[in-house]
Amino acid sequence: NISTTQTIGPSSSTSYVCYKGFTITNSPVVTLKPGLYIIDGEGASAYSFHVSGGAIVNGTSGVTFYFVNNGSFTFSNGATMNLTAPTTSTTSVGINSGILFYQDSGDSAADMFEGGSSGKISGIFYLPAANLTFQNGSAATFSTDLVVGSLTMSGAGQLTPYAPLSGASPLSSPTLVE
C-alpha cells in the first residue's frame, strides 16, 4: 500500500517488477518508472491494482501493466491517472509496443474507471475476457484501442483511437505469436 509521494518501478525501461496487490490512496503523487508492472491477483479480495482517494499516478515514459491470476484494476474516488504505453518493444521481458494494460484471455476479472477518476491514458487495453467499465463522470481522455470482453460506458470519459508516435496503431498489422 502506497500513501506517500514517491517514485517506484523497475530498475530500467527494459525490466519489470512484480506486485501482489497494489493500492495507492490518500492523495500521494506516485511516479512510475518506465517498464513492465506485473500485478498478481492471487488471493486479492477485490481489485489487485487500486488507485483512489485523490491519488495522482504518472507513468508517461512507457509503462505496461500485466495482470495474472485474475488480477484487475480499479481507479476511483478522484484518482488521476496519466499513463502512456511504451513505443518500443522489449519482448525478452514481455513489453510490447503500444500495450498499456494486458490481461490473460482466460481471466475475466472486471476492470474499472469510476467515481470521478480523471487523467490522460494512451495505449492499448488488451482485456479479451474482461468487462471494462467507464462510469460516474470519469473526466479522463483515453487515446486507446480496446480488445475487451465487454464494455460499459456512462459519464464524461472520451475515447479516441490510439496512435503512438509513428501515427499507426500496432493493431493495424497483427502478428500471430505462439
Side-chain angles (χ1 to χ4, degrees):
N1 291 340
I2 297 172
S3 59
T4 59
T5 295
Q6 56 188 288
T7 298
I8 61 170
S11 59
S12 76
S13 63
T14 59
S15 61
Y16 63 91
V17 292
C18 299
Y19 295 100
K20 185 174 273 196
F22 186 23
T23 301
I24 302 172
T25 61
N26 297 330
S27 302
V29 175
V30 176
T31 301
L32 302 176
K33 294 178 184 177
L36 177 63
Y37 292 76
I38 300 170
I39 311 295
D40 186 346
E42 185 177 358
S45 59
Y47 298 96
S48 46
F49 181 26
H50 184 173
V51 181
S52 68
I56 298 171
V57 178
N58 297 312
T60 57
S61 297
V63 295
T64 296
F65 297 93
Y66 175 44
F67 298 94
V68 298
N69 296 321
N70 286 315
S72 61
F73 63 84
T74 183
F75 307 124
S76 64
N77 298 328
T80 300
M81 305 298 296
N82 297 303
L83 303 172
T84 303
T87 55
T88 58
S89 296
T90 308
T91 54
S92 61
V93 294
I95 299 171
N96 293 296
S97 175
I99 302 292
L100 183 59
F101 294 105
Y102 182 96
Q103 194 168 352
D104 284 333
S105 60
D107 289 349
S108 60
D111 301 300
M112 301 177 115
F113 289 88
E114 64 179 353
S117 57
S118 63
K120 184 169 177 17
I121 310 291
S122 295
I124 297 167
F125 289 57
Y126 183 82
L127 317 165
N131 176 49
L132 176 61
T133 300
F134 300 107
Q135 70 180 11
N136 294 338
S138 297
T141 301
F142 298 91
S143 173
T144 184
D145 291 335
L146 301 173
V147 178
V148 297
S150 63
L151 177 64
T152 304
M153 291 189 69
S154 65
Q158 296 182 9
L159 295 176
T160 60
Y162 175 65
L165 298 177
S166 68
S169 169
L171 293 179
S172 62
S173 57
T175 304
L176 179 62
V177 179
E178 285 191 62

